[in-house]
């Protein structure tokens, strides 16, 4: 019984952390290029409703995923036009994008509030899925969970093992130097911003099509903000992003299991529901106490506008 409970908690933790992994890795690439896009919450929300509506009308969850990615890219390019072309403040534009995206998703999603989608089937990996204890939790997951692991490996390789990744990181450190040796700074930053938007849209699509295959207004529930915090928590390192996402996913699932267990614990359910967000604030406060840790891998030009002809 205890073994079964451990497997169930591990399974649920991995599923809950998957959108955080996807969105945070996308934001990591964006910020490594020196662009600070705080609109992840809005891009996730629009990606979620775009994916849900497309999957509902087409009958294909994979078309829904593509629609979610497209919606995220569209919003991120809007952010790019404002901040990279017209030099608007990145913090203010990102916050506006988050508010706009949440509101737009609520407006578009009204006709879909009582609609549910078929469950996306899991994709068991032969032999590995039969391993005791961890097999069902790790290898009987939905395809996007495996994709998040592949994304982690790809982002790690790209940033630290490829020439293109080296150029991207150079933009985040000194865009003027990168421009001086001939790299198109603005074009590369557009690509990095679009990638972050695509991952935010995909993370939202996972929520509405795979995680809870129905549309509920506000279903992103702060995960975009948590993903942003994860990047700082991880000090801009992919492996720490992965570990942090599963840590926050574990906190989310633990409070759900405690609430559903029937245990007579003298803790208000509202406090239990707030635990993931309290954990986010606590981690950020602890990290902020050590400025050296923040500067360790933080891109120097993060959030700073750059005009090549200046």
């Amino acid at each position: 019984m205890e073994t079964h409970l451990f497997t169930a908690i591990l399974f649920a933790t991995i599923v809950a952390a998957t959108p955080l992994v996807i969105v945070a890795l996308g934001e990591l690439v964006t910020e490594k290029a020196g662009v600070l896009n705080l609109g992840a919450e809005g891009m996730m929300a629009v990606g979620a409703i775009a994916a849900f509506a497309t999957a509902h009308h087409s009958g294909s969850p994979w078309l829904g995923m593509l629609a979610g990615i497209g919606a995220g890219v569209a919003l991120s390019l809007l952010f790019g036009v404002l901040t990279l072309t017209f030099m608007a403040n990145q913090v203010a534009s990102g916050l506006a994008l988050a508010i706009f995206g949440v509101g737009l998703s609520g407006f578009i999603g009204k006709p879909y509030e009582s609609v549910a989608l078929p469950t996306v089937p899991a994709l068991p990996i032969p032999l590995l899925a039969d391993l005791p204890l961890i097999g069902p939790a790790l290898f009987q997951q939905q395809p996007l969970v495996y994709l998040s692991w592949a994304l982690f490996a790809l982002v790690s390789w790209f940033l630290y093992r490829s020439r293109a990744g080296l150029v991207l990181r150079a933009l985040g450190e000194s865009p003027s130097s990168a421009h001086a040796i001939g790299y198109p700074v603005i074009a590369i930053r557009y690509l990095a911003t679009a990638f972050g938007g695509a991952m935010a849209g995909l993370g939202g699509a996972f929520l509405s099509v795979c995680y809870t295959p129905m549309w509920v207004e506000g279903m992103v529930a702060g995960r975009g903000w948590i993903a942003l915090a994860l990047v700082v928590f991880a000090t801009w390192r992919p492996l720490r992003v992965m570990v942090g996402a599963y840590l926050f996913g574990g906190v989310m699932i633990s409070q759900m299991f405690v609430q559903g267990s029937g245990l007579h614990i003298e803790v208000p359910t509202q406090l239990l529901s707030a635990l993931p967000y309290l954990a986010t604030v606590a981690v950020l406060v602890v990290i902020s106490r050590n400025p050296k840790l923040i500067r360790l891998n933080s891109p120097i030009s993060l959030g700073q506008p750059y005009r090549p002809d200046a």
Side-chain angles (χ1 to χ4, degrees):
M1 183 64 183
E2 291 181 355
T3 301
H4 173 74
L5 180 61
F6 171 79
T7 302
I9 292 177
L10 181 60
F11 181 93
T13 296
I14 291 172
V15 174
T18 294
L20 298 178
V21 172
I22 294 172
V23 178
L25 286 175
E27 179 66 20
L28 174 66
V29 172
T30 302
E31 294 193 10
K32 277 292 188 183
V35 180
L36 180 62
N37 185 355
L38 299 180
E41 182 81 3
M43 293 188 292
M44 285 186 74
V46 173
I49 184 57
F52 186 89
T54 303
H56 172 64
H57 292 292
S58 68
S60 169
W62 308 116
L63 284 179
M65 298 293 174
L66 291 176
I69 291 173
V73 170
L75 279 193
S76 67
L77 290 180
L78 174 62
F79 172 83
V81 170
L82 292 174
T83 60
L84 301 179
T85 300
F86 295 113
M87 311 287 288
N89 182 280
Q90 294 183 12
V91 173
S93 300
L95 292 175
L97 185 67
I99 296 170
F100 170 74
V102 172
L104 180 64
S105 67
F107 174 73
I108 297 175
K110 281 294 179 187
Y112 302 100
E113 285 187 340
S114 58
V115 180
L117 294 176
T119 303
V120 177
L123 180 63
I125 297 179
L127 301 180
L128 294 177
D130 298 326
L131 291 173
L133 197 60
I134 62 171
L138 295 179
F139 304 112
Q140 287 187 15
Q141 294 282 2
Q142 293 178 339
L144 274 190
V145 174
Y146 306 132
L147 178 65
S148 71
W149 299 343
L151 178 67
F152 160 71
L154 180 63
V155 168
S156 300
W157 173 83
F158 172 76
L159 288 177
Y160 299 104
R161 293 289 185 271
S162 73
R163 181 180 179 82
L166 179 63
V167 172
L168 183 85
R169 288 189 288 130
L171 297 188
E173 300 299 329
S174 178
S176 57
S177 299
H179 174 70
I181 58 177
Y183 289 111
V185 174
I186 299 301
I188 295 174
R189 283 187 166 180
Y190 261 108
L191 290 175
T193 303
F195 177 77
M199 294 303 100
L202 183 60
F206 178 84
L207 286 175
S208 64
V209 176
C210 299
Y211 190 51
T212 54
M214 62 174 60
W215 171 252
V216 178
E217 186 176 350
M219 67 186 306
V220 176
R223 288 178 175 85
W225 301 113
I226 292 177
L228 291 173
L230 272 175
V231 178
V232 180
F233 166 81
T235 57
W236 292 268
R237 304 288 293 188
L239 179 59
R240 295 176 186 169
V241 166
M242 191 85 164
V243 173
Y246 287 119
L247 179 65
F248 282 104
V251 174
M252 288 181 184
I253 294 303
S254 297
Q255 59 91 12
M256 291 181 184
F257 269 84
V258 169
Q259 291 189 54
S261 65
L263 297 175
H264 297 290
I265 300 176
E266 297 298 330
V267 178
T269 57
Q270 294 86 350
L271 180 59
L272 290 174
S273 300
L275 276 181
Y277 311 104
L278 292 176
T280 303
V281 172
V283 166
L284 288 178
V285 168
V286 170
I287 290 178
S288 299
R289 289 172 59 85
N290 188 351
K292 291 182 180 179
L293 188 61
I294 294 291
R295 288 197 298 267
L296 188 61
N297 293 295
S298 171
I300 295 175
S301 68
L302 180 62
Q304 299 176 8
Y306 175 73
R307 189 185 297 278
D309 58 352

